[in-house]
Amino acid sequence: MKARRKHEGRWAWRLTGFVTVCVYIFMFAPIVATVILSFNASMFGGFPMTGFSLQWYGKLMANEPVLAAFRTSLWIALVTSAVTTAIGVVTSFALVRFEFRGKQALSTLVILPALVPETILGVGLLVLIKAVDQPRTMLLLVLGHILLAVPYVVLITQARMVGIRRVYEEAALSLGASRFSSFREITLPLLIPAVVGGALLAFTISFDNTSASLFWRPAGVETMPTQILSMLKISISPEINALGTVMILVTVGIPLLGGLILQSLTRLKRRGEPKEQAR
Amino acid sequence: MKRQWTLYDPRLAWLLVAPVLLLLIFFLVLPIAVMAAYTFFTFVTAGVETSALTTANWHEFLTDSYYAGFLLKTLRVGAITALLCGVLGYFPAYFIWATTFKHKWLLLLLLIVPFWISFTIRTFSWINILGEQGVINVALLKMGIISEPLPMLYNEGAVILGMLHFLLPYMILNVYVSLEGIDRTLISAARSMGCTSAQAFREVTLPLSLPGLAAGLLLCFVLAAGSYVTPQLLGSGRDALFGNLIYDTIMGELNWPMGATLSIVLFLVLGSFAAIYTRFMGMSQIVKGLGG
């Protein structure tokens, strides 16, 4: 009896492992195929490979609309990331440290942009500016991206903020530090992992946004994803696969690099600090 | 005279949340309110409408079965996607949680990496797998199993597959977070009381992880039902979902009042699902899930 039970458990565990492996393959197969195909010598985007070639990368580097879209997206993402992080940090500071009326409602409202479908957010803002007769501008697009990224940044910084004990700040205040310097000297350094994490996430959310950008971009402006979308309407060329590969390198490389820098930073700091730390 | 501030003064709190509050009011609350008002505007011709109030848009929406069909199809696709995510996502989440493998973080990182990769790219990359010249067809042709490429792209299955690819990490992380919250001594206790590992799973682990599963289901359902890009890239015209309908009504037909009506409908429908969910589960689980 006991042996059979054990056998049953092992069988279930194996099934779990098997499905897990399948899911990982499922997640990475299309990405791997895209990277491989970007080196295809053939004119047509698809298997079988006819040879190894870097020509599509060369074509890409000479493709002015793509480069313009890349620059646009990069700027938007950098501004979005910086502003959203700043807003997010003060917001979660207020939400964690203070008691005020309407706090609960506000914290629900803050995560709403992550739950409302982008199409609705997109149409809503368009209808609003149409009602007050305003044009679509870059500022609008950036503010829209900030709206989309804010919930994630607030959630990340909030989670970390909860773990920083307020007595540290209060000690600084009681020793005569100003409120701002106690925040800058005590809270912010402890919050750094969440700040960097939030900034990276905001960058990716903005750089990657498709649906809402389709509604909000000013006439004639393409961001990277909308540019890809319009290229896909024409054909699936190996050039798109090359573009995809470059994007994968950028969007995976930057956060990984950021994470590594972060890790070595905290390690350096740990060395200089006493062991006791806020959770 | 200096103003008196107390240590955790609510006035200071309002000052701190002012930027986010303004942003939310002007970019979220106000747009939705104006959109709701727009549903009663009169459509004249493409791009032109008057503020003469009418219920024509709502009348058209409620009487034309075309819209109801679209909505039902969208909800059906969303539900299928969410359920598939739940079934397929639970296993990896459980595996990562229960494994004795030392580098758990690596398994989690591998799930987060696809989050970073451009959504548009991840979606179109399925064409390289499912297309006529995709991996599957070429391999099957080469092996002589089929003589004609299988039509796997531009149908509802491809759309669901694409959304599954996009949403699975959400589900896995949601379930994983709620599994992490379980006190492992409870399971040891169940085992020491004579439960088999399967019984311990059924009686302890599974029920305690249900909030995460439910949050994941809601998130996947809402995001799938609101999607626009995936049906556009991987579906045929017949596989368009409600998001595509809204986009075409606004950007194609320039029928803003109808577009607003459709948006409000989708907002209300998905919102009521979320409301029912929070009524039973509370908001905190979604917050945990989104925060990773």
Side-chain angles (χ1 to χ4, degrees):
Chain A
M1 186 66 186
K2 200 143 201 187
R4 199 176 67 89
R5 275 184 185 174
K6 224 177 184 172
H7 185 75
E8 227 173 57
R10 202 185 304 145
W11 181 82
W13 180 245
R14 278 193 189 147
L15 177 72
T16 310
F18 176 72
V19 177
T20 305
V21 171
C22 289
V23 165
Y24 276 92
I25 293 173
F26 174 75
M27 290 311 297
F28 285 95
I31 297 164
V32 171
T34 304
V35 174
I36 293 174
L37 278 179
S38 72
F39 299 109
N40 196 352
S42 150
M43 275 288 290
F44 309 102
F47 288 100
M49 301 273 290
T50 52
F52 179 87
S53 157
L54 286 173
Q55 58 165 321
W56 303 110
Y57 289 91
K59 276 237 163 113
L60 206 59
M61 291 304 136
N63 190 331
E64 194 40 52
V66 168
L67 295 177
F70 185 80
R71 281 192 295 268
T72 311
S73 274
L74 195 63
W75 274 114
I76 295 176
L78 284 174
V79 176
T80 303
S81 164
V83 177
T84 314
T85 310
I87 295 180
V89 167
V90 266
T91 305
S92 42
F93 185 66
L95 287 178
V96 172
R97 286 289 186 269
F98 292 76
E99 284 305 326
F100 54 96
R101 270 207 300 159
K103 184 167 118 167
Q104 211 45 55
L106 183 70
S107 36
T108 307
L109 194 64
V110 165
I111 64 163
L112 220 50
L115 291 176
V116 178
E118 278 179 32
T119 329
I120 295 172
L121 293 174
V123 174
L125 195 53
L126 271 194
V127 171
L128 176 71
I129 62 166
K130 191 180 162 83
V132 295
D133 213 10
Q134 291 296 308
R136 285 180 281 172
T137 59
M138 273 313 238
L139 180 67
L140 191 79
L141 183 58
V142 172
L143 285 172
H145 278 196
I146 294 173
L147 177 81
L148 292 171
V150 141
Y152 298 94
V153 174
V154 170
L155 286 174
I156 289 179
T157 46
Q158 219 175 358
R160 175 104 190 159
M161 190 82 76
V162 171
I164 303 172
R165 284 195 273 161
R166 62 170 68 182
V167 287
Y168 296 143
E169 289 154 33
E170 285 165 352
L173 288 171
S174 75
L175 290 170
S178 73
R179 193 177 272 285
F180 178 68
S181 61
S182 90
F183 178 79
R184 200 190 49 200
E185 302 284 333
I186 310 288
T187 320
L188 204 54
L190 290 172
L191 201 62
I192 280 297
V195 171
V196 177
L200 289 172
L201 194 57
F203 182 92
T204 343
I205 287 171
S206 165
F207 199 80
D208 193 21
N209 182 269
T210 319
S211 311
S213 300
L214 277 174
F215 286 97
W216 294 338
R217 71 205 156 112
V221 170
E222 296 277 5
T223 66
M224 208 58 205
T226 65
Q227 174 70 28
I228 294 172
L229 215 57
S230 65
M231 282 166 82
L232 280 171
K233 271 180 197 149
I234 304 163
S235 73
I236 315 290
S237 67
E239 199 178 344
I240 291 227
N241 287 324
L243 182 53
T245 306
V246 172
M247 290 275 282
I248 292 170
L249 276 180
V250 171
T251 47
V252 175
I254 288 178
L256 278 185
L257 210 66
L260 280 178
I261 292 171
L262 193 70
Q263 217 173 23
S264 49
L265 265 180
T266 40
R267 207 168 285 157
L268 267 177
K269 276 201 108 170
R270 285 257 165 79
R271 217 172 284 160
E273 266 174 15
K275 266 187 215 138
E276 221 278 306
Q277 266 217 339
R279 275 191 312 123
Chain B
M1 204 183 104
K2 241 177 132 185
R3 271 186 303 170
Q4 286 294 309
W5 292 88
T6 52
L7 186 53
Y8 292 109
D9 198 315
R11 283 175 294 174
L12 181 58
W14 282 110
L15 207 66
L16 293 173
V17 299
V20 106
L21 196 60
L22 288 175
L23 187 77
L24 289 169
I25 288 174
F26 281 104
F27 281 72
L28 182 75
V29 179
L30 212 54
I32 291 175
V34 172
M35 203 154 63
Y38 237 76
T39 63
F40 296 106
F41 278 27
T42 311
F43 175 64
V44 181
T45 176
V48 183
E49 63 274 326
T50 65
S51 51
L53 298 185
T54 170
T55 52
N57 303 306
W58 285 103
H59 189 76
E60 189 185 336
F61 176 80
L62 293 172
T63 51
D64 198 335
S65 63
Y66 172 73
Y67 295 115
F70 245 106
L71 190 59
L72 282 179
K73 184 173 74 174
T74 304
L75 297 181
R76 178 171 53 89
V77 170
I80 294 174
T81 310
L83 287 176
L84 281 174
C85 276
V87 174
L88 288 176
Y90 200 96
F91 288 95
Y94 183 83
F95 183 86
I96 298 172
W97 173 71
T99 184
T100 47
F101 180 57
K102 247 193 188 161
H103 304 289
K104 244 183 218 195
W105 63 272
L106 194 68
L107 293 177
L108 281 173
L109 184 72
L110 281 175
L111 282 177
I112 298 170
V113 162
F115 264 139
W116 298 336
I117 296 175
S118 168
F119 165 58
T120 321
I121 295 194
R122 270 191 289 154
T123 308
F124 93 66
S125 65
W126 275 102
I127 298 173
N128 291 329
I129 299 279
L130 301 176
E132 277 188 19
Q133 286 186 301
V135 177
I136 298 176
N137 270 326
V138 169
L140 289 179
L141 282 171
K142 276 261 158 81
M143 287 190 283
I145 295 173
I146 51 170
S147 52
E148 288 271 301
L150 298 170
M152 286 180 288
L153 216 50
Y154 310 119
N155 55 40
E156 195 174 296
V159 175
I160 292 177
L161 202 70
M163 294 203 287
L164 206 58
H165 191 231
F166 161 54
L167 294 169
L168 256 177
Y170 281 97
M171 176 62 82
I172 299 173
L173 291 175
N174 260 299
V175 176
Y176 178 77
V177 166
S178 88
L179 282 170
E180 269 297 295
I182 297 177
D183 185 351
R184 282 178 201 244
T185 53
L186 289 177
I187 293 148
S188 323
R191 292 302 303 272
S192 71
M193 308 281 261
C195 273
T196 62
S197 58
Q199 276 170 331
F201 174 76
R202 263 200 311 273
E203 304 290 333
V204 182
T205 316
L206 185 62
L208 287 176
S209 67
L210 282 184
L213 187 64
L217 284 175
L218 176 78
L219 211 58
C220 291
F221 173 71
V222 169
L223 292 175
S227 68
Y228 165 80
V229 173
T230 315
Q232 176 83 5
L233 287 181
L234 298 180
S236 70
R238 272 179 300 127
D239 304 307
L241 296 184
F242 217 74
N244 308 80
L245 183 64
I246 293 173
Y247 186 86
D248 291 341
T249 310
I250 294 262
M251 300 305 229
E253 296 168 32
L254 297 176
N255 186 344
W256 291 65
M258 196 63 212
T261 309
L262 296 174
S263 305
I264 289 289
V265 167
L266 187 61
F267 179 71
L268 291 177
V269 170
L270 297 185
S272 53
F273 276 100
I276 293 169
Y277 170 86
T278 38
R279 172 77 183 70
F280 290 104
M281 298 298 218
M283 203 70 189
S284 59
Q285 196 64 43
I286 307 183
V287 171
K288 266 191 252 164
L290 280 174

